Amino acid sequence: MQILITDDDKFLLDMYSLKFTELGFNVVTATDGEEALEQVINGLKPEVFLIDILMPKLDGFQLIGKLKEKNLAPETVLIILSNMGQQADIDQGLALGVDGYIVKATATPSEVVAKTLDIANSKRAKLNKS
C-alpha cells in the first residue's frame, strides 16, 4: 500500500516514514502542501494520504480543498495528522471531507499507524459495500 505523508517537520516525517516502511508501506513524503499537491497532479495515487495542517506554502486545509476541488484523489483515504486538536480544527477538517483526524500530541507513532490502518480499512469496507 502506498502512503503519502506531508509534514514540514523533518524529524516527524522521518519517524512516521520509518514506522510505515517497517509495516511494508511504500512511503512517499513531502515537506509542504505545494510539493504534495504537485506529486498528486503528476500522477501519484496513494491509497492513504496523511496531511499536516500547519505547513509553509500551502497549509493542510488548503491542500485538501484543492484535492477536492480538482477531484485529484477521489479514492484516497485522506487523514489529517496534526497537533491542532481544537474541536473547530477537527470540524473544519471533517467539513472538507477527510476520512479521519489524528492529533499527534495524543498518539504515539505506533498508535498513529494503527489509527491510520483502522481509518483506511473502514473506508475500504464502505466503498466495497457501495
Side-chain angles (χ1 to χ4, degrees):
M1 185 182 297
Q2 187 172 63
I3 185 167
L4 174 55
I5 306 172
T6 304
D7 197 314
D8 62 325
D9 184 321
K10 184 82 170 102
F11 174 78
L12 291 177
L13 197 58
D14 290 345
M15 181 184 58
Y16 290 124
S17 294
L18 179 62
K19 280 289 185 190
F20 281 99
T21 299
E22 287 173 349
L23 286 177
F25 278 79
N26 173 16
V27 178
V28 180
T29 61
T31 56
D32 63 62
E34 197 172 90
E35 180 186 350
L37 183 62
E38 285 176 25
Q39 289 182 16
V40 174
I41 287 171
N42 290 328
L44 183 67
K45 296 198 181 321
E47 282 90 353
V48 179
F49 194 166
L50 289 179
I51 303 167
D52 187 22
I53 295 175
L54 294 176
M55 296 184 292
K57 298 183 185 175
L58 196 64
D59 72 30
F61 291 137
Q62 293 167 323
L63 171 60
I64 294 162
K66 289 190 180 295
L67 290 171
K68 294 289 185 174
E69 172 188 315
K70 298 177 185 214
N71 200 31
L72 290 172
E75 299 191 10
T76 299
V77 177
L78 300 177
I79 301 171
I80 291 176
L81 177 62
S82 176
N83 275 323
M84 293 179 60
Q86 299 295 321
Q87 191 60 49
D89 299 317
I90 295 168
D91 291 345
Q92 184 176 354
L94 296 175
L96 285 169
V98 298
D99 300 295
Y101 197 111
I102 302 170
V103 180
K104 291 181 205 175
T106 63
T108 66
S110 295
E111 289 171 334
V112 168
V113 170
K115 288 179 182 185
T116 298
L117 291 172
D118 285 347
I119 294 165
N121 289 333
S122 175
K123 179 170 182 173
R124 253 193 249 121
K126 286 178 189 171
L127 289 175
N128 288 337
K129 286 182 183 177
S130 302

